[in-house]
Each structure stands twice: as C-alpha cells, then as structure tokens.
Amino acid sequence: MLENTIDKLSLVIDDILISEHTAQIAEIMSNAIDTLAPEQFSLLIEALPQDKRLSVWATYPEEIQRSAFVDMGQATRTSLIESLTDDECFELLAQLDVDDVIEIAEEIPSRLLKYAIKHLDDSQRKLYQQAQQFSVDSVGHWLDYNYVRISEKLKITSAQLLLHKGLAPYTEDFYAVNKEGILTGTIAINTLLPNNAEGTLKELFCPEIVRLNANEELTLAAEAVILSGKMSLPVVDDDERFLGRFTIETAYQVKQESQSEQITTAAGLSSDEDLFSSVRTSAKNRGIWLGINLLTAFLASWFIGFFEATLQQVVALAVLMPVVASMGGVSGSQTLTVIVRGLALGQITDLNRKVLLRKELKVGALNGLIWSLVIGLITFVWFDSLVLSLVIALAILLNLLTAAASGVMIPALLNRLNIDPALSGAVILTTVTDIVGFVVFLGLGSLLLL
C-alpha cells in the first residue's frame, strides 16, 4: 500500500529532527523534493523548530521557495524574513507575480513590499493597484487574472482559435466586454467548441450573466461561487466594468481559512500562530485572552460570594474555585487547538511532539507565574489573607502546567485510539484540568487554612 502524503511528510520531519548535520538534511531533502506534494513544503518549514528551518530552506529550489514563502503562515514567514539577509529576501521577492504580492502585501515589511512591487511588470503593477482599491475583506481584492477577455464584436471563428492556445485552470467561460470595458456577456466554451456559425459572439451569449460585485464581502462571495456550480464567476465594479474572476479554488480557500479562524479565535488564539513560535510570543498571544477570561471567572466568583453566610469557614475556597477551573480550561484549550491543527496537517510526529511538549510547558510556566501573581494579589486585596493568596497562586501555576501537558498529550492518545481529538479532546481536557485544579486547590486549602 502506498503511503499517503501526510505519512510522507511525517517521515521527512522525523528524519530531519534526528539529523545532526546540514549535510544529512541536504541528503534527506534531495529525496523529499520529488516525494512531497507542492503544498507540503510550507507545512514542513512550519513543523520544524527554529534551528532546523534555515537548513531545510536552503535546500529548496527557487520555485519551491517562492510557493512555500507565499503559502506559509504569517508568523513563520516573519520568522524566516528575520533569519534571511536583505539580499536573500530581495532575490526571493523578485520572483513573485502579482497574485503572490497581493497575497502577502499586508504581512511583510514595507521595504520588502516596495521592492516586490517594483519588480512587477507594468501590466501586473496596474493589477496590483487595482486590487488595492478594494479592502482585504472584499472580493475585489482577491481576483484571479488568468482569464480570457474578448471583444463582444469578435467573430465566433476567431474566438475558437483562442482555444488552441490553451486555457488557464478553472476556465469554462469567455468574458465579452464592449469598448468601455463593461461586461456584456459570457460564452460557455462547451457551446463555442462545436459551433460552425459565421456570426459574432453575441449570438452565443448566455441568457443571464451571473456576476459578483467587487465590493461584496469576501466570505459571501466565496459561498456564492461554491453554490453557483460554476468553476469561476466574473467580477465587476459598480459601473459594471469587468475586473477579473473569482475561482472555485480561491472560494474554498477562503471558506477553509474562515472556519480555521473561527476555531482558533474561539480558543483565544491568533489565527496564524506558528507551531514553533517563541515562548514569549505564544505566551503573549494566549496571556491576553487568559486575562480576559480572568475577568469572567472573577465575576462568577463574585456571585458565589453572595452565599458567604451559608458556606461559613470554606467560603473563600468556594468563591475562588471557578477561577482555578476556568484558567486551566482556557489555557488547555489553547494548546489543544494548536496541536489538533498540527495533527490534521501532518506536522506533528512522535519526535517533534517531545519538543512541542517542552515548549508548551514553558508557555504554561510563564503564563502560570504571571497570572498566579496577579490572582494572588487580587485574592489578598479581596480576602486579606496571605495564606489564601499563596494557595490559589500555587493552584493556578500547577493547573496551567497540567493544562499545557494535557493539551499536547491528550490529542496524541486519542489519535492512537483512532478517536477524533477535535471532537472529544476539549471534553477530556476540561475534565482533567477541573479535577487537578480542584484537588490541588482544595487540598492545599485543607492543609494550610483549616
């Protein structure tokens, strides 16, 4: 049985991780160049620790470097740019076409963007300027320019000759415009091919022009293309001038990115967090959301505090219990989301999982130290008890470390059991962090307070 592409990527990652010299990495990559799928070269860079990335990057041919540079996540691209010299960056950017430049324009330093634009030819530079007239959230910013645009007065026989020159992917229609550039009709290629008429293209126009407005919201436009049953739809401005087309490939990419962003945002993460971003960066990204979660956790604790007279001696512990549970649950969910995404892309193996575990434990320790001090201080001000502050600070620190370890190891265990970690991982993780948080908090409280 042939190995699937994810298995191949995992094997290459493992081989690189156990390699000790750049010569070994070069040998591994010489075999991998013909083995991996084109989209996996960006995934490979993202799946490696920082100290291995440049060695692998140096083995990529120019064409693979170009496509991988555009495909990789923003955080990984930024890290790569910081590691390369300006001359190496300029050499890479000079290879990009207008679609590539539009894709990364918001995500690279201005000096590099200016260089990339400068090296576009005149026609591509005009297309780039056209894209900038529309916001990044509208379909007009993300058009495909590989289409056949013809005059509405062209004869059928002349249009048929264009078919012999070859067509770009996702081309099933010709777009006809008048002298003002206004879209006046579309001609289906399967109608044009067998036709022997001597007339003009107007005779073959589709009865209705299904089109998108360039200002339409991007995700809505993507859904419209998917539901249309067409390979692409033409896009016009407010004056009906034809600007380009929006393909089914781009539509599905937009839909996938939107779904991925919703998942990561729900966990309080940056939608483009690098798998091996620095501990400081990861802690910062997640620490902000932990702070937001802390506000809601203390709000729940405040309501529990209304029952102070009934709870008597254990009131402080009962009031603060939701804080411990909530902080552990959110922290673990953040780690879980990153790991599940990495598993789905085939970026996580048995070898780099150990490196990831160490990294996530450091993130948990850093956030644990920061937030345990914050929560301990708030607790001291609230209850005027140094011992209680120490108890909750230790509980928070230990629970965030547990959450980090659980977020890495639970998806691995579920994956081995052929259980989808995306569906059940969060439930198990929350249970683990709740139990550990309550046992540690109440156990320390029993020892030190009662």
Side-chain angles (χ1 to χ4, degrees), residues 273-285:
E273 182 171 329
D274 188 355
L275 199 62
F276 281 101
S277 59
S278 69
V279 170
R280 181 179 178 181
T281 300
S282 294
K284 178 182 177 182
N285 288 341

Side-chain angles (χ1 to χ4, degrees), residues 164-391:
H164 299 294
K165 297 181 179 180
L167 300 174
Y170 309 109
T171 300
E172 58 182 348
D173 295 309
F174 284 177
Y175 304 117
V177 298
N178 62 18
K179 62 181 181 180
E180 286 81 26
I182 294 174
L183 180 68
T184 56
T186 61
I187 305 97
I189 291 174
N190 58 5
T191 301
L192 183 63
L193 276 171
N195 201 290
N196 295 319
E198 294 294 330
T200 63
L201 290 175
K202 281 189 176 182
E203 300 173 16
L204 303 179
F205 279 2
C206 295
E208 181 181 356
I209 304 177
V210 181
R211 57 193 178 276
L212 299 170
N213 184 281
N215 292 303
E216 189 167 347
E217 203 273 323
L218 185 59
T219 55
L220 295 179
E223 197 67 26
V225 173
I226 293 170
L227 295 177
S228 72
K230 304 282 289 183
M231 299 297 286
S232 63
L233 289 179
V235 179
V236 298
D237 63 14
D238 291 336
D239 297 320
E240 294 296 317
R241 283 191 293 267
F242 176 67
L243 300 178
R245 65 175 185 167
F246 195 58
T247 68
I248 190 72
E249 179 188 26
T250 307
Y252 273 110
Q253 287 176 350
V254 169
K255 186 172 183 178
Q256 182 178 4
E257 289 171 3
S258 176
Q259 291 172 340
S260 176
E261 183 175 358
Q262 289 173 2
I263 292 171
T264 52
T265 302
L269 294 170
S270 166
S271 61
D272 197 40
E273 182 171 329
D274 188 355
L275 199 62
F276 281 101
S277 59
S278 69
V279 170
R280 181 179 178 181
T281 300
S282 294
K284 178 182 177 182
N285 288 341
R286 305 179 202 185
I288 293 171
W289 284 93
L290 286 172
I292 295 172
N293 174 74
L294 177 61
L295 296 177
T296 61
F298 268 112
L299 182 61
S301 297
W302 182 68
F303 279 102
I304 295 173
F306 283 125
F307 299 93
E308 181 174 352
T310 303
L311 296 172
Q312 296 179 353
Q313 292 183 339
V314 293
V315 60
L317 295 176
V319 168
L320 294 170
M321 278 172 55
V323 178
V324 179
S326 182
M327 293 294 283
V330 170
S331 180
S333 296
Q334 292 174 336
T335 302
L336 182 76
T337 302
V338 173
I339 299 302
V340 169
R341 183 171 61 185
L343 283 171
L345 295 174
Q347 295 175 295
I348 297 178
T349 70
D350 288 337
L351 289 177
N352 72 356
R353 185 181 291 110
K354 296 176 183 177
V355 182
L356 272 171
L357 178 58
R358 289 195 293 270
K359 180 247 182 177
E360 291 296 332
L361 285 173
K362 291 177 181 178
V363 173
L366 181 55
N367 271 326
L369 287 170
I370 293 171
W371 290 107
S372 63
L373 290 173
V374 172
I375 295 168
L377 179 60
I378 294 173
T379 301
F380 180 78
V381 172
W382 190 355
F383 293 99
D384 193 24
S385 172
L386 183 60
V387 177
L388 181 59
S389 300
L390 178 62
V391 167

